[in-house]
Amino acid sequence: MTNPRYRGRFAPSPTGPLHFGSLVAALASFLEARNQGGQWLIRLEDLDPLREPPEATGQILSSLEAHGLLPDEPVRFQSRRHSAYQATIARLMEQGSAYRCPCSRKELQANEGRHPNQCRSGKAVTGDRPFAIRFALTDEDCHWQDLLLGPQQQIVRAELDDPVILRKEGFYAYQLAVVVDDIDQGISDVVRGSDLLEMTAQQQQIYRALGARPPHWLHIPVVLNEAGQKLSKQTHAPALDDNIPGQNLFRALVALGQNPPQALAKGPPETLLDWGQANWQRGAIHLTSR
């Protein structure tokens, strides 16, 4: 049974090749979409060329293909979406939902997070100083229902928590681009790691400022190494071995609490994905992953 209203996505940043934690996140979003009869997309969040090795994008897409994780639409690259982000910033500025901010981190820390230049009032004098653009949050006691974690609550503090949406270096920030593209691509459901949970309330305000309804959220536990650290480039997580995709997918299903039969341990990717789609139980996901 298809559900054309369900649209999910996997959106990695190409800072290096895929590792096992990335595969777990990709597989969870893929199986949730397939189980719901919906569509699944891939989007490369390639917004920071200073942190992105030139070969990383190709490595990521090759790994996903090797593991049978193929999108229903062409891959989207955020590096080709600058005009859309700039138009959105102009719109937010015009409606008073964004502002220029030349403050340094040191200045903000010395002022307990407040803006010594009265940036939110529009009085900030930038001169030749580089400035970021921030989204102007409103004070909120935010509640929502996570599809795995249940009822959630976050306190949003105006000014103190205002996220950067355009960095001083001229790069568009994640907090802006992710919302703009989720709206543009009609994403109805977001499956992502719980390390992004704390950003949710802020992002929901950006959705509303752009006249859009936030998606449904499903935050899965991040995979940890033996030291209890999230698998990442910074913690030297090894790249996936694309020569053993079936074994990788089997391990990922186990990490997601899906209990695949041992007979599938050496099966091809297609068999693992077919089993995962037919037997997917989001409620079986462990609230801690190792």
Side-chain angles (χ1 to χ4, degrees):
M1 182 177 179
T2 60
N3 179 4
R5 296 181 180 177
Y6 186 105
R7 284 171 63 83
R9 46 73 167 174
F10 175 60
S13 298
T15 56
L18 282 189
H19 52 72
F20 182 67
S22 306
L23 178 65
V24 169
L27 181 61
S29 63
F30 177 86
L31 292 179
E32 178 72 9
R34 289 291 181 259
N35 184 261
Q36 296 292 323
Q39 297 174 310
W40 186 74
L41 312 181
I42 294 173
R43 183 168 71 226
L44 269 294
E45 296 186 340
D46 53 345
L47 287 172
D48 189 348
L50 301 181
R51 297 177 58 242
E52 298 163 3
E55 70 277 7
T57 292
Q59 290 173 332
I60 288 172
L61 295 177
S62 293
S63 283
L64 291 171
E65 182 176 0
H67 290 80
L69 298 172
L70 304 176
D72 294 310
E73 295 179 5
V75 174
R76 171 168 291 197
F77 298 87
Q78 288 190 328
S79 58
R80 304 172 187 175
R81 296 270 299 155
H82 289 185
S83 60
Y85 307 141
Q86 188 57 48
T88 302
I89 288 175
R91 174 181 171 185
L92 292 172
M93 293 283 289
E94 184 177 352
Q95 68 189 43
S97 298
Y99 59 91
R100 296 178 178 85
C101 174
C103 299
S104 66
R105 291 184 181 179
K106 188 175 181 179
E107 287 174 322
L108 291 172
Q109 290 172 351
N111 207 39
E112 298 182 340
R114 301 289 177 185
H115 292 249
N117 299 303
Q118 298 183 334
C119 302
R120 280 178 60 112
S121 69
K123 297 179 181 178
V125 178
T126 60
D128 293 332
R129 289 186 67 184
F131 61 87
I133 294 180
R134 293 179 180 269
F135 179 79
L137 294 167
T138 57
D139 288 326
E140 181 185 13
D141 181 3
C142 182
H143 297 257
W144 77 93
Q145 185 80 10
D146 187 274
L147 294 178
L148 176 64
L149 303 178
Q152 298 296 304
Q153 178 183 15
Q154 288 176 353
I155 303 297
V156 177
R157 303 170 300 171
E159 186 175 7
L160 297 178
D161 298 329
D162 290 355
V164 170
I165 56 176
L166 179 66
R167 291 163 48 187
K168 289 181 180 179
E169 303 90 341
F171 300 145
Y172 298 100
Y174 165 79
Q175 288 282 56
L176 174 80
V178 68
V179 174
V180 171
D181 282 318
D182 279 348
I183 293 172
D184 183 67
Q185 293 187 290
I187 299 301
S188 66
D189 290 73
V190 171
V191 178
R192 62 185 185 181
S194 57
D195 55 322
L196 298 174
L197 180 65
E198 64 183 21
M199 299 181 176
T200 306
Q202 295 180 14
Q203 289 176 357
Q204 291 193 149
Q205 287 203 17
I206 300 175
Y207 277 98
R208 294 198 296 266
L210 296 175
R213 182 176 180 177
H216 300 108
W217 306 99
L218 196 166
H219 288 88
I220 65 171
V222 297
V223 180
L224 307 177
N225 62 18
E226 292 302 319
Q229 302 167 313
K230 174 193 171 185
L231 293 184
S232 68
K233 181 180 179 181
Q234 286 70 34
T235 59
H236 309 292
L240 280 177
D241 183 349
D242 293 341
N243 294 313
I244 52 170
Q247 295 179 46
N248 294 334
L249 288 169
F250 183 87
R251 289 180 56 219
L253 286 168
V254 171
L256 289 165
Q258 300 304 299
N259 196 28
Q262 191 63 37
L264 293 181
K266 296 184 178 180
E270 297 78 11
T271 301
L272 272 295
L273 294 176
D274 286 345
W275 184 92
Q277 181 177 337
N279 295 277
W280 175 247
Q281 296 289 333
R282 74 164 77 114
I285 299 175
H286 304 307
L287 293 184
T288 58
S289 291
R290 178 64 65 104

